[in-house]
Amino acid sequence: MDLSQAPFETLLAELDFQLHDVLQLEGREEHLPLLEAAISLAAAEFAPHAALLDANEPTFDGARVHLPPTVARTLEAYHDAGFLAAAFPEEEGGLGLPYAISQAMVAAFQAADPSTAAYPFLTAAAANLLRVFGTDDQKRRLMAPMLTGRFFGTMALSEPHAGSSLADLRTRALPQEDGTFHIVGDKMWISGGEHELSETIIHLVLARIPDAPAGVKGISLFAVPRHHLDPDGRPGTRNGVRLIGLNHKMGYRGTVNAALAFGAEEPAVGELIGRPNQGLAAMFHMMNEARIGVGLGASMIGWAGYRTALAYARDRRQGRHPDTNDPASPPRAIIEHADVRRMLMTQKVLVEGGLGLSLFCATLVDDLEGSDPSARQRARTLLGVLTPIAKAWPSEHGPRANDLAIQVLGGAGYARDYPVERYYRDNRLNPIHEGTNGVQAMDLLGRKVMRDEGAGLQLLLGEVGSSVARHRGHHALEELCDGLDAGIRLITEVSEVLSRAAAQGRVRRGLANATEYLHMVGHVLIGWMWLEQAAAALAGDTDFHRGKVQAARFFARYELPRIGRQAALLRRLDDTAMTMPDGGF
Amino acid sequence: MDLSQAPFETLLAELDFQLHDVLQLEGREEHLPLLEAAISLAAAEFAPHAALLDANEPTFDGARVHLPPTVARTLEAYHDAGFLAAAFPEEEGGLGLPYAISQAMVAAFQAADPSTAAYPFLTAAAANLLRVFGTDDQKRRLMAPMLTGRFFGTMALSEPHAGSSLADLRTRALPQEDGTFHIVGDKMWISGGEHELSETIIHLVLARIPDAPAGVKGISLFAVPRHHLDPDGRPGTRNGVRLIGLNHKMGYRGTVNAALAFGAEEPAVGELIGRPNQGLAAMFHMMNEARIGVGLGASMIGWAGYRTALAYARDRRQGRHPDTNDPASPPRAIIEHADVRRMLMTQKVLVEGGLGLSLFCATLVDDLEGSDPSARQRARTLLGVLTPIAKAWPSEHGPRANDLAIQVLGGAGYARDYPVERYYRDNRLNPIHEGTNGVQAMDLLGRKVMRDEGAGLQLLLGEVGSSVARHRGHHALEELCDGLDAGIRLITEVSEVLSRAAAQGRVRRGLANATEYLHMVGHVLIGWMWLEQAAAALAGDTDFHRGKVQAARFFARYELPRIGRQAALLRRLDDTAMTMPDGGF
């Protein structure tokens, strides 16, 4: 059974529904051919080579990094189609598409092969940072070649001793008389850090200028190309960036992941991007969109597993119904078994709900650069709260969906002949990179809720509440509306308790269960996404639409009740793990 | 940081506590040196080669299967120590140890390298089956050489079209004039199915004799050696068992997993074990202990991850407390961070709770063969209910612990330089093999609760209730006692609702959420294990003991409340997934 195309069969219908029926984006007629082109390329070029790339990870021979040749070919097709610059303004060389549409296109590639897709996604993020923070000259020399795939980009934040803790970065940037900087230090976990796929690589590096303030307020951002660039931006000899070694990962194997030494033997010449000591703010411009992208990827790897498991369950015959156990009767397709249906339904609500949240965030990113100042303000406020959730919720629950996809396939799911075990390994990266989910939870509760007085949360819960009020009265939606109203009340109550604790100086205790808090809020938001999807689906009368309404019911019954446990822990500032004696573990 | 020894540092203390303080087994002084020897061998021989074996899985050159030479060396040390026959009677060539002690020894090897340990564990299970169902001659020729490691054993149940559905097995056993059978058919997913590690391999094969009844009532069991054996049991020329190919798995890579053809070219000569058409009952004697063993393995792979993450968290310095965010202060060991503590605590309650359940079941297996008829009856009744839970609960929650171990290590956890990603891949097999967890749930609810009128469940809940009554009054245990009493009430109520539905002919609907039912009961049982552990720990006053009491509290607060959601779904016979239109997925 060839399952490699299963993720793409209904993807256009799903994206179309979410973008145009649920989010009500205008321009369906223009968007559909673009989405179709992205899905076709993903299905025809990315998906077929994913298993081969997984089995043949990058190697380093001491001089060069080697990758299977299909990677370059696949990316060339991607660049030729102009997809990398899809969301960039036409005057900058892009297609001028809404960010939400470009993210829907990205979704297709994430479902097909996230480890190949990582190269252009990192490059697009780096280019976008340069678009906002670069000088015209930097945009011409560094950004423009990224948009056509001539240069690739990276983000170089982590160091061997400092992953989550950016305050402790040690890499130095020594000012030179010609205005450049010599970068000195080791960077770790750099995706796309070394390869021969592009003319050069532009590393965006966080480093400290001498005498900068301690901590995150003394970090600046630099562009450090793999090769020295001439004034026209043509790459020449190698710059002083050296590969220390490749990291070998459980999944995402096709994405080179490198430890890099800057300036160890010869100078690593870089140029400042933006203003000195403002590097973290610039990097976070890139990082926030990357975080939303991580969540999207996690849902789409989950989607790939879900559609694969569904295709398998429709085809595979095994066993009989428990009330008709006649061995002479023919075995049933396993999709008929209640437990398989439960696993498929769970996958559906997790991945289609998560996808909804990512696309909603993408429309807010569009609003950030729109002409309406109140929409800009709303988007900024909502994204502050939503970004950590849009990163962490799908990256927790997308892998959960992948786990269930393996279980639907049984022994076949554990074998490398089928793609679902690869999806499971690939998706396990997502709770870790771009800020671990624990870091996201601290960002949400400690910064966005406690410190900023919860304005964003109030706005967000107000929007959920309005949505519930608007959809009341439809019999099919009542249970979910009830659950969401209860959820809003619980979040409000718990947030007050936690904010009060913080105000009284009990910051550590208030934050002790930040992860439970994030997932409680996340579950309510995903319930909201399902309410909006079900409400939009009531207008249709195909099985697709009925399935959306039924899935919303399933979310209300199987998933939303999980928040009661979390609220109880949070309400009483549970400190059981904190007060465990160290020697008691 | 060398983390490969972390799983063994406190394992003796843990096993000693569970066996002698909690389960109150007699013979501590004799047991401890044996446990220590097992742990030493596991730490010195099994653990160090696990990563190498994972990276160099078995290969087939068309004639022979190749494995790294460390496998044979490691197993030789295991056999030399006599561990394989630990639980066999001395008159059969064993050490005559209680099964519970032999399982505690097994635990050490599961924590060290489950994929190497699989060979002797399968062999011990096959030998045990022959001990019970074989003739004296079969025991002499087939079983005795297993106990010394000369022969290895397999269980050959699955076929390409039938994994969970044994009723559909097609392999035929054609009677010959000399009393032997010629076995004809293909078998799939055979662990240890082909290798050069032993003089021969004894395949225990399920097959149908012509004109046998349809379904599971027409299945017989055969021993089919890889080589023809002479009357003294000496292996000669090859029998007609041929390797079709190796399965390549996500984890457990060191265990050969094979598709085998019986009698495809030349006859595969087998001999009947036990009586015709009684093969499934014999196989289930082996299978039930194997299921308990799978659960034990799942907890122990979880334990390995937990202890590794704990060692890493004590060593790795990163970040500061949220209320003292001075970048000039030194970074803290990450075990100080509340979210890391929460993840470690969760791992602890899952794996030490699961281990408790497995060892409790092992004591019941001992009772099955004891001299006390009422104890035998009690053990048989309890094991009927406990076995599916002892298989499925740890194999769901052990991997959950491994997921958290990766998260504690962050990027390092995703890299193959550290063992935790391997644990995660290895443990993902456990919800699948020896009957998927969905099959276990149907066995528990459909067979043990609905069909057998719940006598086993009542006995079990009665024991939990007595335990709660006995430990009431200790302040530290009250919360858990309350939670368990509530859990007993919920299980009783829900079981009545489900049994009534089945009695009214609504079998499918009653079974629709069997998996949720199993995990609800499982969580209460693990809570019971924690009550017993905490109660036993009140007698001590070290950090080890205080940690047990605190972990029991954590289980009461973080884990036990999960059952409310499940009970609500079960109580109303939720059929949301069942009534989803097929086209709605």
Side-chain angles (χ1 to χ4, degrees):
Chain A
M1 189 181 342
D2 178 22
L3 295 168
S4 74
Q5 296 300 301
F8 309 103
E9 283 158 14
T10 60
L11 184 53
L12 184 64
E14 179 68 26
L15 293 172
D16 178 26
F17 173 76
Q18 295 237 18
L19 291 167
H20 304 113
D21 295 320
V22 182
L23 294 168
Q24 305 197 324
L25 253 69
E26 288 176 13
R28 186 194 301 251
E29 300 312 316
E30 305 150 46
H31 299 157
L32 286 186
L34 290 162
L35 294 172
E36 206 166 357
I39 293 168
S40 296
L41 181 64
E45 298 290 336
F46 281 66
H49 96 123
L52 178 136
L53 182 55
D54 179 63
N56 297 277
E57 67 184 342
T59 54
F60 179 48
D61 64 10
R64 283 166 184 270
V65 169
H66 298 274
L67 280 161
T70 50
V71 179
R73 216 160 56 220
T74 302
L75 291 177
E76 203 176 305
Y78 185 86
H79 296 132
D80 287 350
F83 287 146
L84 194 138
F88 281 71
E90 292 180 64
E91 61 272 24
E92 309 263 21
L95 300 181
L97 290 173
Y99 186 70
I101 298 301
S102 78
Q103 287 298 93
M105 294 161 74
V106 158
F109 298 101
Q110 295 280 30
D113 185 13
S115 77
T116 299
Y119 297 98
F121 297 169
L122 282 163
T123 301
N128 196 35
L129 188 153
L130 292 168
R131 180 177 69 81
V132 176
F133 294 94
T135 63
D136 283 345
D137 181 55
Q138 287 170 334
K139 286 160 75 167
R140 179 181 62 82
R141 285 182 300 115
L142 306 177
M143 181 192 83
M146 288 185 182
L147 297 186
T148 57
R150 284 181 47 221
F151 295 179
F152 282 12
T154 74
M155 353 179 14
L157 290 78
S158 295
E159 298 178 5
H161 69 291
S164 296
S165 176
L166 295 175
D168 293 315
L169 296 188
R170 291 179 195 151
T171 297
R172 289 166 301 146
L174 309 173
Q176 305 298 306
E177 290 194 355
D178 63 356
T180 65
F181 291 80
H182 285 183
I183 309 296
V184 184
D186 292 346
K187 292 287 180 180
M188 187 68 172
W189 309 118
I190 311 307
S191 288
E194 176 73 2
H195 54 72
E196 311 280 331
L197 295 165
S198 54
E199 292 179 28
T200 197
I201 302 169
I202 309 296
H203 301 291
L204 295 176
V205 181
L206 292 182
R208 295 183 183 285
I209 299 171
D211 302 322
V216 294
K217 292 175 182 162
I219 296 175
S220 304
L221 179 66
F222 301 87
V224 186
R226 186 179 179 229
H227 301 85
H228 296 290
L229 303 180
D230 73 12
D232 289 328
R234 278 187 296 259
T237 56
R238 285 290 296 257
N239 196 1
V241 187
R242 284 290 171 265
L243 179 65
I244 301 172
L246 298 179
N247 294 310
H248 299 286
K249 307 182 298 303
M250 173 166 66
Y252 252 92
R253 292 192 176 195
T255 308
V256 169
N257 190 279
L260 297 177
F262 290 82
E265 286 161 24
E266 26 181 351
V269 181
E271 53 189 291
L272 184 70
I273 304 292
R275 292 160 57 198
N277 302 332
Q278 304 288 314
L280 209 59
M283 189 60 100
F284 265 87
H285 187 271
M286 176 171 177
M287 184 79 105
N288 279 330
E289 288 182 21
R291 286 177 172 179
I292 297 169
V294 166
L296 175 67
S299 292
M300 294 315 299
I301 302 172
W303 163 275
Y306 163 52
R307 299 307 302 185
T308 303
L310 177 62
Y312 184 89
R314 285 178 167 149
D315 184 83
R316 173 79 172 169
R317 295 184 169 274
Q318 182 101 174
R320 289 157 193 86
H321 288 299
D323 51 0
T324 54
N325 230 339
D326 172 10
S329 68
R332 320 297 300 226
I334 64 170
I335 194 175
E336 293 189 43
H337 297 313
D339 199 49
V340 172
R341 292 182 95 76
R342 184 188 58 82
M343 291 193 282
L344 291 170
M345 198 68 149
T346 304
Q347 292 171 67
K348 180 181 175 76
V349 299
L350 298 179
V351 304
E352 296 177 9
L355 173 61
L357 183 63
S358 301
L359 293 177
F360 173 58
C361 289
T363 64
L364 295 175
V365 172
D366 279 320
D367 289 347
L368 280 182
E369 304 205 3
S371 55
D372 177 350
S374 72
R376 283 205 300 270
Q377 179 56 40
R378 166 181 173 266
R380 197 172 307 117
T381 307
L382 289 179
L383 280 174
V385 186
L386 285 169
T387 300
I389 303 170
K391 192 275 175 177
W393 193 94
S395 68
E396 183 81 19
H397 295 283
R400 211 182 122 207
N402 289 120
D403 176 66
L404 292 169
I406 290 178
Q407 198 65 17
V408 169
L409 270 75
Y414 197 64
R416 304 207 299 277
D417 310 69
Y418 291 84
V420 291
E421 64 84 28
R422 171 163 44 84
Y423 300 151
Y424 181 72
R425 288 185 289 108
D426 283 350
N427 219 350
R428 188 60 190 78
L429 177 60
N430 285 318
I432 298 171
H433 66 163
E434 311 294 350
T436 66
N437 285 2
V439 166
Q440 306 299 326
M442 295 293 275
D443 178 48
L444 173 67
L445 181 55
R447 196 170 295 128
K448 306 302 173 45
V449 173
M450 286 181 178
R451 210 185 58 188
D452 302 346
E453 293 179 0
L457 182 72
Q458 280 174 35
L459 181 64
L460 183 62
L461 293 182
E463 298 215 356
V464 180
S466 305
S467 172
V468 170
R470 197 160 58 244
H471 298 307
R472 280 280 183 198
H474 292 286
H475 177 69
L477 310 180
E478 280 304 287
E479 229 174 307
L480 182 51
C481 285
D482 290 345
L484 289 174
D485 269 340
I488 294 168
R489 279 196 304 276
L490 280 179
I491 295 172
T492 305
E493 182 200 334
V494 158
S495 303
E496 280 169 14
V497 170
L498 297 174
S499 296
R500 206 177 313 132
Q504 292 166 347
R506 294 194 292 171
V507 175
R508 286 194 208 179
R509 199 161 161 188
L511 286 168
N513 290 291
T515 293
E516 304 280 2
Y517 180 85
L518 183 145
H519 284 288
M520 179 180 70
V521 179
H523 252 61
V524 171
L525 293 181
I526 298 297
W528 177 34
M529 295 296 118
W530 273 111
L531 178 62
E532 290 291 333
Q533 291 188 37
L538 287 176
D541 74 339
T542 68
D543 270 355
F544 175 89
H545 295 97
R546 281 185 285 273
K548 286 286 185 185
V549 176
Q550 187 80 345
R553 254 189 222 111
F554 186 90
F555 193 88
R557 293 168 179 172
Y558 282 71
E559 290 296 324
L560 210 42
R562 292 181 194 273
I563 67 173
R565 182 192 69 88
Q566 299 166 320
L569 288 170
L570 290 158
R571 195 188 286 125
R572 69 174 190 211
L573 303 173
D574 191 282
D575 64 351
T576 315
M578 274 174 78
T579 54
M580 175 76 161
D582 272 10
F585 282 108
Chain B
M1 193 181 343
D2 177 22
L3 296 168
S4 73
Q5 296 300 302
F8 309 103
E9 283 158 14
T10 60
L11 183 54
L12 184 64
E14 179 68 25
L15 293 171
D16 178 26
F17 174 75
Q18 296 236 17
L19 292 167
H20 304 114
D21 295 320
V22 182
L23 294 168
Q24 306 195 327
L25 254 68
E26 288 175 15
R28 187 195 300 253
E29 300 314 314
E30 305 150 48
H31 299 157
L32 286 186
L34 290 160
L35 295 172
E36 205 167 359
I39 293 168
S40 295
L41 181 64
E45 297 290 337
F46 281 66
H49 96 122
L52 179 137
L53 182 54
D54 179 65
N56 296 278
E57 66 184 345
T59 54
F60 179 48
D61 65 9
R64 282 167 186 269
V65 169
H66 298 274
L67 280 161
T70 49
V71 179
R73 217 160 53 220
T74 302
L75 291 177
E76 204 177 305
Y78 185 86
H79 297 132
D80 287 351
F83 288 146
L84 195 139
F88 282 71
E90 292 178 64
E91 61 273 24
E92 309 264 20
L95 300 183
L97 290 174
Y99 187 69
I101 298 301
S102 79
Q103 288 297 94
M105 293 161 74
V106 159
F109 298 101
Q110 295 280 29
D113 184 14
S115 77
T116 299
Y119 297 99
F121 296 168
L122 282 162
T123 301
N128 196 35
L129 187 153
L130 292 169
R131 180 177 68 82
V132 177
F133 295 94
T135 62
D136 282 346
D137 181 55
Q138 286 170 334
K139 285 161 76 169
R140 180 181 59 84
R141 285 182 300 115
L142 306 176
M143 182 193 82
M146 289 185 181
L147 298 186
T148 57
R150 284 180 48 219
F151 295 179
F152 283 11
T154 74
M155 357 182 9
L157 290 78
S158 295
E159 297 177 5
H161 69 290
S164 295
S165 176
L166 295 174
D168 294 315
L169 294 188
R170 290 178 194 151
T171 296
R172 288 167 301 146
L174 309 174
Q176 305 297 306
E177 291 193 356
D178 63 356
T180 66
F181 291 78
H182 285 184
I183 310 295
V184 184
D186 292 346
K187 292 287 178 180
M188 186 68 172
W189 308 121
I190 311 307
S191 288
E194 176 73 2
H195 53 72
E196 311 280 331
L197 294 166
S198 53
E199 291 179 27
T200 196
I201 302 170
I202 309 296
H203 302 290
L204 295 177
V205 181
L206 292 183
R208 294 182 183 286
I209 298 171
D211 302 323
V216 294
K217 292 175 183 163
I219 297 175
S220 304
L221 177 66
F222 301 87
V224 186
R226 184 179 180 229
H227 301 85
H228 296 291
L229 304 181
D230 72 14
D232 289 328
R234 278 187 297 260
T237 57
R238 284 292 296 256
N239 196 0
V241 187
R242 283 290 170 266
L243 180 65
I244 301 173
L246 298 179
N247 295 309
H248 298 287
K249 307 182 298 302
M250 173 165 66
Y252 252 93
R253 292 192 174 195
T255 309
V256 170
N257 190 279
L260 297 177
F262 289 82
E265 288 161 21
E266 26 183 349
V269 180
E271 52 189 291
L272 185 68
I273 305 292
R275 292 158 57 197
N277 301 332
Q278 303 289 315
L280 209 59
M283 189 60 100
F284 265 88
H285 187 271
M286 176 171 178
M287 185 80 103
N288 279 329
E289 289 182 21
R291 286 178 174 179
I292 298 169
V294 166
L296 175 68
S299 292
M300 293 316 297
I301 302 173
W303 163 275
Y306 163 51
R307 300 306 302 186
T308 304
L310 178 62
Y312 184 88
R314 285 178 166 149
D315 183 83
R316 173 79 172 170
R317 296 184 167 273
Q318 183 101 173
R320 289 157 193 86
H321 288 299
D323 54 358
T324 54
N325 229 338
D326 172 10
S329 69
R332 318 298 299 229
I334 64 170
I335 195 176
E336 294 190 41
H337 298 311
D339 199 50
V340 172
R341 293 182 94 76
R342 184 189 58 82
M343 293 192 282
L344 291 170
M345 198 68 150
T346 305
Q347 293 171 68
K348 180 181 176 75
V349 297
L350 299 178
V351 304
E352 296 176 10
L355 172 61
L357 183 63
S358 301
L359 293 177
F360 173 59
C361 288
T363 63
L364 294 175
V365 172
D366 279 318
D367 289 346
L368 280 182
E369 305 205 1
S371 55
D372 176 352
S374 72
R376 284 204 301 271
Q377 180 55 40
R378 166 183 175 263
R380 197 173 306 116
T381 308
L382 288 178
L383 279 174
V385 186
L386 284 170
T387 300
I389 303 170
K391 192 273 175 178
W393 193 94
S395 69
E396 183 81 20
H397 294 283
R400 211 181 124 208
N402 289 120
D403 176 67
L404 292 170
I406 290 179
Q407 198 66 16
V408 169
L409 270 74
Y414 197 64
R416 304 207 299 278
D417 310 69
Y418 291 85
V420 291
E421 64 84 29
R422 170 162 46 83
Y423 301 151
Y424 181 73
R425 288 185 287 108
D426 284 350
N427 218 350
R428 188 60 190 80
L429 176 60
N430 285 318
I432 298 171
H433 67 165
E434 309 295 349
T436 65
N437 284 2
V439 167
Q440 305 301 325
M442 294 293 275
D443 178 47
L444 173 67
L445 181 56
R447 195 170 296 130
K448 307 300 176 45
V449 174
M450 288 180 177
R451 210 183 60 187
D452 301 346
E453 293 180 0
L457 183 72
Q458 280 173 36
L459 181 64
L460 182 63
L461 293 182
E463 298 216 357
V464 181
S466 305
S467 171
V468 171
R470 199 161 57 245
H471 298 307
R472 281 279 183 201
H474 290 286
H475 178 69
L477 310 179
E478 280 304 287
E479 230 174 304
L480 183 51
C481 286
D482 291 344
L484 289 174
D485 269 339
I488 294 168
R489 279 195 304 275
L490 279 178
I491 293 172
T492 305
E493 182 200 333
V494 158
S495 303
E496 280 170 14
V497 170
L498 296 174
S499 296
R500 206 177 312 133
Q504 291 165 348
R506 295 193 291 172
V507 175
R508 285 194 209 180
R509 199 161 160 188
L511 286 169
N513 291 290
T515 293
E516 303 279 2
Y517 181 84
L518 182 144
H519 284 288
M520 181 180 68
V521 179
H523 252 62
V524 171
L525 294 181
I526 298 298
W528 177 34
M529 295 297 118
W530 273 111
L531 178 61
E532 290 292 334
Q533 291 187 38
L538 287 176
D541 74 339
T542 68
D543 270 354
F544 175 90
H545 296 98
R546 279 185 286 274
K548 286 286 184 187
V549 176
Q550 187 80 345
R553 252 188 225 114
F554 186 90
F555 192 88
R557 293 168 179 172
Y558 282 72
E559 289 297 323
L560 210 43
R562 292 180 192 272
I563 67 173
R565 181 192 71 87
Q566 297 165 321
L569 289 169
L570 290 158
R571 194 187 286 125
R572 69 175 192 210
L573 303 173
D574 190 283
D575 65 351
T576 315
M578 275 175 78
T579 55
M580 175 76 163
D582 273 9
F585 283 107

